[in-house]
Amino acid sequence: MREGWYKSRPGMASLGDMHDQIAATLPRDGKVVYLDYAFTTNVGDQLIVLGTLKFFERHGITIKLARNIHNVEDAGPAVAPGDVLVFHGGGNFGDIYPHFQQLRERIIAAFPENRVVIMPQTVHFDDKAELDRSCRAIASHPAITLFVRDRHSLAIVKPYFGERARLVPDIAHQLWPSLWEDVAQEAGNASSEPLLLLRRDAEQAAIPAAIAGREDRFTDWDVLISRRYRIERAIIRGQYGAARRGVRLYDLDQAYFAAMRREVIRVARGLYRHPLWITSRMHGAILGLLLGKPVFALDNSYGKLSSYFDAWGQWTAPVKLVTSPQEAAEMMEFVHKASVGDESMLWTAYRDRFGR
């Protein structure tokens, strides 16, 4: 399976190619300012950052500077006429995480003369009045392009952005197949247990009864993060104050990207051991796909995963989206009966049962 089925997935390559339309909006002369990248212990967000960096590399796009939420205010004086502001993608365009949305609005309003590109986002607002206010404010910028990663998000923003809103897949697909090549060759000993990667935050949905009894085996991104990475992250953040005063011993953003990459590979190698993945994390599902694993996807609180795979499932297939108690029971029946000793046999059984 490792050299056969995995590398014969043209759909995964096609998802990365679809980002060419983002590249067409960006300059190649060092005028890209990458803003609000995720400074986080969430591996899903880290995958988006690494996918964005891989995208820049693939298209020969040089970053003038990069800043996250903790040092983004320092970027203002460095932004020159002609620079393009590129905002990090993900799932925080909306009112679930208002501090990110408000930061985005504030920066966009401060630079009306600079072109703005927002990388692929999922859009969700609980408050319709806030949706209208925020989208009107951002769409009022005269030179903005908003990329979204599912049709539902596109329908929400289209009335405000018109043709400036475009549909593309998540930028983490840029990591295919390079991440698998980094991870699979040095992964640990295989496990016979499925991975149960289930979110425990503001987007958590009800856990299907079929797997609720396995709660002692549930994990999530925050549990998987190492002490070393947390220390590295804290050290880098602690130096932002000195950097503002002109004391900058090294490039803090590049140091963070390097630490993040090491951590993602370490986490991915641990998860790669599991033959089957069950996850309510969107990037848990995408990471499983990037690593060639059969994935069962459970939705989050507002349908993020179902919207995503409705848009891109024909390229990522097979992914089984579990949407009912009956489907959850069928999933666990398959997990109990699956032969995990032979990857190719496991994939054949999975595709026969759940493939499109």
Side-chain angles (χ1 to χ4, degrees):
M1 181 287 243
R2 295 191 178 190
E3 295 297 331
W5 184 87
Y6 182 85
K7 288 195 173 181
S8 65
R9 298 168 72 192
M12 291 293 285
S14 297
L15 289 169
D17 293 341
M18 292 177 195
H19 297 133
D20 289 356
Q21 61 178 298
I22 304 177
T25 69
L26 300 177
R28 306 296 193 276
D29 54 0
K31 292 184 178 294
V32 165
V33 178
Y34 178 30
L35 297 176
D36 193 24
Y37 69 78
F39 190 87
T40 179
T41 56
N42 183 307
V43 180
D45 290 331
Q46 294 170 353
L47 287 168
I48 298 173
V49 176
L50 295 181
T52 304
L53 297 176
K54 177 66 73 173
F55 164 79
F56 289 146
E57 176 187 338
R58 175 181 178 181
H59 291 279
I61 297 168
T62 303
I63 305 173
K64 178 179 180 178
L65 74 151
R67 293 292 186 268
N68 62 65
I69 194 170
H70 302 296
N71 65 356
V72 70
E73 305 294 352
D74 304 339
V79 177
D83 288 347
V84 179
L85 308 185
V86 177
F87 284 87
H88 182 68
N92 61 21
F93 195 107
D95 57 5
I96 294 181
Y97 309 102
H99 49 295
F100 290 108
Q101 188 73 359
Q102 292 163 10
L103 174 68
R104 194 179 290 121
E105 290 178 20
R106 187 166 67 249
I107 295 173
I108 289 171
F111 293 96
E113 304 299 322
N114 294 81
R115 284 199 298 117
V116 174
V117 174
I118 300 178
M119 299 295 269
Q121 281 274 356
T122 298
V123 177
H124 178 77
F125 287 85
D126 287 321
D127 186 330
K128 301 306 180 185
E130 181 62 12
L131 158 67
D132 185 67
R133 184 208 62 78
S134 183
C135 284
R136 285 185 185 279
I138 294 175
S140 68
H141 191 285
I144 189 167
T145 304
L146 168 61
F147 291 95
V148 295
R149 57 190 188 185
D150 62 80
R151 296 188 187 93
H152 180 65
S153 295
L154 185 64
I156 292 173
V157 300
K158 197 78 169 177
Y160 302 94
F161 290 85
E163 296 305 310
R164 298 179 297 166
R166 304 181 191 176
L167 178 67
V168 294
D170 187 86
I171 202 71
H173 288 290
Q174 287 291 321
L175 298 174
W176 185 92
S178 61
L179 184 62
W180 173 80
E181 293 167 348
D182 289 334
V183 168
Q185 308 308 320
E186 296 186 31
N189 295 330
S191 168
S192 61
E193 290 293 326
L195 173 67
L196 296 169
L197 180 65
L198 301 170
R199 65 186 315 144
R200 298 176 294 184
D201 61 5
E203 297 180 43
Q204 178 180 340
I207 303 296
I211 61 173
R214 295 192 170 207
E215 189 170 2
D216 60 322
R217 297 184 181 178
F218 291 0
T219 191
D220 202 2
W221 295 136
D222 59 334
V223 177
L224 299 170
I225 293 297
S226 69
R227 183 170 181 268
R228 173 184 172 178
Y229 171 75
R230 293 180 190 275
I231 292 172
E232 289 177 323
R233 180 173 172 268
I235 290 172
I236 291 169
R237 182 175 178 181
Q239 295 184 64
Y240 289 150
R244 292 188 188 98
R245 298 189 297 272
V247 181
R248 195 177 181 90
L249 302 179
Y250 54 90
D251 190 318
L252 300 177
D253 301 285
Q254 292 300 323
Y256 177 66
F257 294 153
M260 178 194 297
R261 177 175 171 75
R262 286 194 300 270
E263 185 67 2
V264 166
I265 291 175
R266 186 196 65 79
V267 170
R269 284 175 177 161
L271 300 184
Y272 186 82
R273 300 171 53 245
H274 297 276
L276 291 163
W277 288 27
I278 301 170
T279 183
S280 57
R281 286 281 183 184
M282 178 171 156
H283 282 87
I286 291 176
L287 179 58
L289 290 166
L290 292 170
L291 299 183
K293 298 296 179 178
V295 175
F296 294 96
L298 311 177
D299 233 334
N300 77 326
S301 60
Y302 62 85
K304 182 192 295 183
L305 283 81
S306 56
S307 293
Y308 188 76
F309 289 109
D310 176 67
W312 310 110
Q314 62 179 307
W315 288 275
T316 64
V319 172
K320 173 57 181 174
L321 190 68
V322 178
T323 60
S324 69
Q326 180 182 348
E327 289 180 338
E330 292 173 356
M331 170 185 72
M332 293 311 296
E333 177 191 6
F334 177 82
V335 169
H336 290 317
K337 293 182 178 179
S339 172
V340 299
D342 185 311
E343 288 180 296
S344 61
M345 289 179 62
L346 177 62
W347 264 111
T348 298
Y350 177 82
R351 286 181 293 181
D352 288 348
R353 180 74 177 271
F354 302 108
R356 293 173 176 84

